[in-house]
Amino acid sequence: MSGSLTIVGIGPGNDDLITPEVSAAIDQATDVVGYIPYVGRIAPRDGLTLHPSDNRVEIDRSQHALDMALDGKRVVVVSSGDPGVFAMAAAVLEAVEHGKPEWRDLDIQILPGITAMLAASAACGAPLGHDFCAINLSDNMKPWDLIEKRLRLAAEADFAMAFYNPRSKSRPEGFGKALKTLRDACGDDRPMIFARNVSRPDQTIKIVPLTEVTEDMADMRTVVLLGSSQTRIIQRDGAPLVYTPRSVSG
């Protein structure tokens, strides 16, 4: 039997946001591989084996998935959000590049999903409506100096920004350092959006001026967005709407 490896995104949390293409791939899988809470979202069934693993074993997980595909299994690797955004697609391809030559001949597909930053943006309006960038604030795999440089240059270029992994128990100081860099570089009081458990029943959205943000407002279940100097807030009776205009004033 010819095996395959499909790397999929299962969205930010609400099963209604999983694409039909991804659902079909999971339905046809013999094996599903991924981080423990993401595999936990996959319903068990006859003929399907689930392979949950810890968060920091991405290459081991990728190698296991590739070997199972080589043995003829229909393997699905699951990521939250989109598999190509700080997730498993890059890890699997890194394993392919540096691993067994026969892995390169496998049927490998990558199916997109809805990212947490896009779900967060939609939940409050359209703060990413013009040029934006996404920055992972974890320094587990890159030095903090590089993160700081990217924050500073993104602010100088006046991008709206999306921040992944803002603050964890093992890195409680990182978000505070990022806030200092952003305040020094931005020079204005643009809105920062905290979307926690986005798309889930307990979702919360907070919109806070950058100068009033405290580092404890974010955790690993929070996606943080920062508007550009052009970003606007529309006040109304209900929750305000945030958007970044499509055109830029001179």
Side-chain angles (χ1 to χ4, degrees):
M1 180 175 67
S2 177
S4 64
L5 179 63
T6 308
I7 312 160
V8 308
I10 55 174
N14 185 334
D15 287 347
D16 289 341
L17 298 184
I18 301 175
T19 70
E21 183 181 39
V22 167
S23 294
I26 293 170
D27 289 343
Q28 295 163 14
T30 60
D31 296 81
V32 170
V33 177
Y35 180 36
I36 295 165
Y38 306 153
V39 174
R41 292 178 56 190
I42 307 303
R45 58 171 169 79
D46 290 342
L48 175 65
T49 303
L50 303 177
H51 304 266
S53 55
D54 190 62
N55 195 28
R56 296 195 180 186
V57 294
E58 288 92 348
I59 296 299
D60 291 344
R61 182 186 303 147
S62 300
Q63 293 168 340
H64 181 211
L66 288 159
D67 274 338
M68 287 195 294
L70 207 58
D71 288 339
K73 304 289 184 66
R74 294 188 302 277
V75 183
V76 169
V77 176
V78 293
S79 295
S80 67
D82 180 279
V85 179
F86 306 127
M88 283 302 298
V92 172
L93 297 184
E94 182 180 344
V96 170
E97 181 182 10
H98 300 291
K100 299 176 183 178
E102 52 266 41
W103 286 345
R104 299 187 179 211
D105 296 325
L106 286 167
D107 176 10
I108 299 175
Q109 297 185 59
I110 300 167
L111 305 183
I114 296 173
T115 70
M117 68 178 172
L118 297 181
S121 179
C124 64
L128 305 182
H130 203 275
D131 297 341
F132 71 92
C133 64
I135 300 175
N136 188 339
L137 295 182
S138 170
D139 59 356
N140 287 334
M141 301 185 75
K142 62 179 182 288
W144 181 260
D145 287 350
L146 179 58
I147 297 173
E148 187 175 46
K149 177 181 179 181
R150 289 176 174 172
L151 291 170
R152 189 172 62 252
L153 292 176
E156 181 181 329
D158 202 20
F159 284 112
M161 305 178 214
F163 303 119
Y164 281 72
N165 301 317
R167 188 169 182 263
S168 69
K169 291 180 180 178
S170 62
R171 298 178 290 98
E173 74 290 339
F175 188 55
K177 292 194 295 183
L179 287 174
K180 183 180 185 309
T181 299
L182 290 168
R183 286 170 179 147
D184 290 345
C186 287
D188 56 20
D189 203 13
R190 57 193 67 185
M192 183 167 269
I193 298 143
F194 295 85
R196 192 171 193 275
N197 291 337
V198 65
S199 85
R200 297 175 184 268
D202 56 346
Q203 167 184 294
T204 60
I205 305 290
K206 295 181 180 178
I207 304 167
V208 184
L210 180 57
T211 56
E212 297 178 18
V213 171
T214 57
E215 58 186 275
D216 60 353
M217 291 179 178
D219 60 19
M220 288 297 284
R221 300 176 72 179
T222 307
V223 175
V224 181
L225 308 179
L226 179 66
S228 75
S229 66
Q230 305 291 312
T231 301
R232 303 288 181 259
I233 299 177
I234 302 173
Q235 301 293 349
R236 55 183 189 152
D237 289 340
L241 293 171
V242 184
Y243 83 105
T244 303
R246 296 171 298 152
S247 60
V248 177
S249 58

